[in-house]
Amino acid sequence: MTAELNPDIEAFINRWQPSGGSERANYQLFLAELCDLLEVPRPDPATPDNRENGYVFERTVKVDLHDGNSTTNFIDLYRQGSFVCETKQGVNQQGGEDLLSSTMAAAGKQQKAGHGKRGTAGWDKSMQLAKKQAERYIKHLPASDGRPPFLLVVDVGYVIEIFAEFSRSGGNYTPFPDVRSHRITLEQLRSDEIRQRLQKIWTAPESLDPARISAAVTRDIASRLAKLAKSLEADGHSAERVSGFLMRCLFTMFSEDTGLLEERSFTTLLESLRKEIDFFVPSMEQLWATMNSGGMSLQLRRKLLRFNGGLFSDNEALPVNADQLELLIESAKADWRYVEPAIFGTLLERALNPIERHKLGAHYTPREYVERLVLPTIIEPLRADWDAAVAAAMLLEDNGKHDEAVKTLRGFLYSLCQLKVLDPACGSGNFLYVAFRELYKLETEVLCRIAEFASTQSGKRQLSWASAIRTTSFFGIDINPFAVELAKTTLNIAKKIAFEERKATVQELFAQ
């Protein structure tokens, strides 16, 4: 829902849109009035030594230098446990001057035309420098403060860029909620949804963590499935047969919520079997046989693609009673786009008895534990290389070497796509899943940046959304064959989710 002619919002936009070139004079007033608009408290008054202030302008932070000395820097706006905010101010008119311009002039350096003008490479470079500066401040915050989940870069009177890092390790902050919508313009403040997002960044930042949303949905579904598994085992079915049956049900539920199957088609089929429960087994087995081979499905009245990976090569369905069918229907009604793949690991555990579980080392690994390993070992070094590539490309662009700038970015893209990941004890593929998603997300950022560089030369975005990152570059080893099948399924889920996100990103970029 979008607010219509809200006088407070319109007054804020009309007041700040004409501003330009006076970031140091304007930023505190702009952010204070933004707080009023969002209905959150304004920052607290500063104290003589405000290193203890939890919510304040100009928060001091001690930065250690390479020579062993230290210096005191100032965070433009800081809210402990929520965000670090760094401000800049670009200009819309030619010849205007921003903070980058004045800084370079003070250093006796000549600045090329376009620096600071919004929509140019110079403005983008200024925003990038602001982000890096904020990241440096975050790394030097006292350990007692912890690391904030959000980083904001504000071009006063123009845009707010949002970056997030929910592991709270102080690593690389990435566009939030994604690369296509992390930049909020003043006009977008008319949207209730946008203002609520900003309000939560101030007051309840953890509520925006996608992993928490996924965990809540996953727990709800897992409780139903655990009850169903116990009931089916009580009917005399082995744990392994129950897990295989539930895996096929789960992936089919996931498929209808992510576009692999017609929306609600599987849920509708399950609901139709309430009065014809004797048809449950043949209906499921015929559907899964079709999903395994591809072709016309009589059950869904649709032509289906072939689901490779081997999950449906065994299409056995177990007979269910009315109560068990209801548990399946309630699980299918959930939004499976938010389900954590870790649920598959839970089912893997059910397929192994306690002795085998101890012997194999199989266990459920929560997503946050996986990220603590994947992010620092794989993603953070790659993002450091990417930042270096962007800096080099911007320098080349400033010197008129456009083709070399694009070549530099494409060189990083090529090296990224050559990467291979191995998990020698993959279980259900949780580590591989997170690694794939994070690499695919980084690749999307790279493609978008290449498109931005190309558009500065041609005036038109040119972006291919085909991915060079393949699931075949991710390898897993496990002595349990069922675990291997689960890992394949998990990676297929990762590929589908990432593909849909990439598609939406590119469609929005082309629409701009």
Side-chain angles (χ1 to χ4, degrees):
M1 179 179 177
T2 301
E4 294 183 4
L5 297 177
N6 182 308
D8 294 334
I9 297 171
E10 297 306 316
F12 181 85
I13 293 173
N14 292 333
R15 173 174 166 81
W16 285 105
Q17 271 187 334
S19 68
S22 302
E23 172 255 341
R24 300 314 298 173
N26 282 334
Y27 88 90
Q28 290 194 11
L29 182 59
F30 174 80
L31 290 173
E33 292 185 3
L34 177 64
C35 289
D36 295 342
L37 187 69
L38 299 177
E39 298 180 341
V40 299
R42 287 192 176 197
D44 298 327
T47 59
D49 180 7
N50 70 358
R51 283 178 292 182
E52 301 300 321
N53 285 77
Y55 182 33
V56 69
F57 289 120
E58 297 288 322
R59 163 67 183 264
T60 56
V61 59
K62 180 181 177 183
V63 176
D64 296 322
L65 304 176
H66 295 297
D67 61 4
N69 295 316
S70 63
T71 185
T72 298
N73 289 154
F74 300 89
I75 301 172
D76 286 344
L77 177 59
Y78 174 65
R79 186 169 176 88
Q80 183 178 347
S82 295
F83 62 82
V84 159
C85 176
E86 184 67 12
T87 62
K88 299 295 178 191
Q89 186 154 23
V91 292
N92 287 321
Q93 67 273 21
Q94 287 286 1
E97 184 180 85
D98 70 344
L99 184 64
L100 181 63
S101 307
S102 58
T103 300
M104 294 183 72
K109 297 180 180 179
Q110 185 175 1
Q111 187 179 22
K112 294 180 173 57
H115 274 288
K117 184 176 184 297
R118 290 161 176 165
T120 67
W123 176 82
D124 190 59
K125 183 176 182 179
S126 180
M127 296 294 282
Q128 287 286 326
L129 289 173
K131 178 176 181 284
K132 300 306 295 182
Q133 188 170 317
E135 287 179 329
R136 185 170 68 252
Y137 293 159
I138 288 171
K139 291 177 180 178
H140 286 86
L141 286 170
S144 58
D145 278 25
R147 300 294 182 258
F150 284 98
L151 183 159
L152 308 180
V153 179
V154 176
D155 180 349
V156 176
Y158 183 48
V159 299
I160 302 168
E161 290 188 340
I162 305 175
F163 303 87
E165 204 281 280
F166 288 107
S167 75
R168 309 290 291 273
S169 64
N172 292 90
Y173 286 74
T174 59
F176 178 87
D178 51 56
V179 71
R180 70 182 184 273
S181 53
H182 75 293
R183 184 175 286 172
I184 297 173
T185 65
L186 247 63
E187 290 83 357
Q188 287 178 290
L189 291 174
R190 295 186 177 101
S191 164
D192 292 342
E193 180 183 357
I194 293 296
R195 294 198 310 279
Q196 288 168 8
R197 181 186 305 166
L198 289 170
Q199 186 182 65
K200 287 179 180 178
I201 290 174
W202 254 258
T203 61
E206 294 296 345
S207 68
L208 295 172
D209 184 355
R212 289 203 170 197
I213 299 171
S214 296
V217 175
T218 303
R219 281 194 299 269
D220 181 58
I221 293 175
S223 64
R224 292 193 181 96
L225 294 176
K227 184 177 180 180
L228 177 57
K230 184 177 180 180
S231 175
L232 290 171
E233 289 171 11
D235 289 343
H237 304 294
S238 69
E240 186 172 357
R241 289 179 67 199
V242 170
S243 292
F245 166 67
L246 291 181
M247 273 301 307
R248 288 183 282 278
C249 290
L250 301 191
F251 192 77
T252 310
M253 293 172 187
F254 169 82
S255 297
E256 71 170 358
D257 282 346
T258 55
L260 291 172
L261 295 175
E262 188 78 14
E263 185 178 1
R264 279 193 53 82
S265 56
F266 184 59
T267 303
T268 301
L269 173 61
L270 291 176
E271 290 173 336
S272 71
L273 293 170
R274 280 173 169 148
K275 296 181 180 180
E276 299 178 307
I277 202 164
D278 291 341
F279 286 91
F280 178 84
V281 170
S283 295
M284 294 299 104
E285 291 184 345
Q286 289 174 26
L287 170 61
W288 290 336
T290 306
M291 291 174 71
N292 186 59
S293 60
M296 294 300 299
S297 168
L298 297 177
Q299 288 71 34
L300 303 186
R301 306 293 194 272
R302 294 288 186 278
K303 184 176 181 179
L304 307 183
L305 298 174
R306 177 175 176 264
F307 287 70
N308 55 11
L311 179 64
F312 298 106
S313 57
D314 178 0
N315 65 332
E316 180 190 28
L318 301 180
V320 297
N321 58 36
D323 292 338
Q324 292 164 343
L325 178 60
E326 285 304 315
L327 287 171
L328 280 175
I329 292 172
E330 289 304 311
S331 298
K333 287 180 179 179
D335 192 338
W336 282 76
R337 292 172 299 174
Y338 297 110
V339 172
E340 275 290 340
I343 194 171
F344 298 110
T346 303
L347 291 179
L348 171 59
E349 282 196 287
R350 297 197 59 81
L352 305 173
N353 65 43
I355 297 176
E356 289 175 321
R357 185 158 58 244
H358 175 74
K359 180 176 63 178
L360 295 172
H363 62 284
Y364 167 74
T365 308
R367 170 78 173 267
E368 57 268 27
Y369 291 175
V370 177
E371 290 180 341
R372 288 177 191 172
L373 177 63
V374 171
L375 294 181
T377 58
I378 300 177
I379 304 304
E380 289 181 17
L382 285 171
R383 286 196 170 275
D385 292 344
W386 171 234
D387 289 342
V390 171
M394 285 182 171
L395 183 60
L396 290 167
E397 186 78 11
D398 285 346
N399 290 305
K401 299 179 180 179
H402 174 78
D403 291 342
E404 291 184 39
V406 175
K407 185 178 180 180
T408 298
L409 299 181
R410 291 193 180 279
F412 175 84
L413 178 63
Y414 176 80
S415 62
L416 177 67
C417 297
Q418 300 306 304
L419 192 70
K420 291 180 172 56
V421 178
L422 168 67
D423 183 350
C426 65
S428 59
N430 292 346
F431 284 88
L432 295 174
Y433 171 87
V434 172
F436 180 89
R437 288 295 309 277
E438 292 295 328
L439 287 173
Y440 205 98
K441 184 165 64 175
L442 177 55
E443 186 195 33
T444 300
E445 291 182 39
V446 175
L447 289 172
C448 289
R449 180 51 63 93
I450 291 173
E452 289 175 359
F453 268 74
S455 67
T456 61
Q457 193 76 358
S458 65
K460 182 180 180 180
R461 291 190 184 274
Q462 299 174 349
L463 178 60
S464 169
W465 50 302
S467 176
I469 294 179
R470 311 290 186 188
T471 55
T472 51
S473 295
F474 294 77
F475 301 89
I477 301 173
D478 204 285
I479 63 174
N480 182 273
F482 186 58
V484 173
E485 292 304 316
L486 286 168
K488 291 178 182 178
T489 301
T490 301
L491 275 178
N492 282 332
I493 289 175
K495 180 179 179 180
K496 176 60 181 175
I497 293 175
F499 179 85
E500 291 300 322
E501 290 174 349
R502 170 79 56 80
K503 183 178 177 181
T505 296
V506 174
Q507 287 174 340
E508 184 158 330
L509 283 172
F510 272 117
Q512 293 177 358

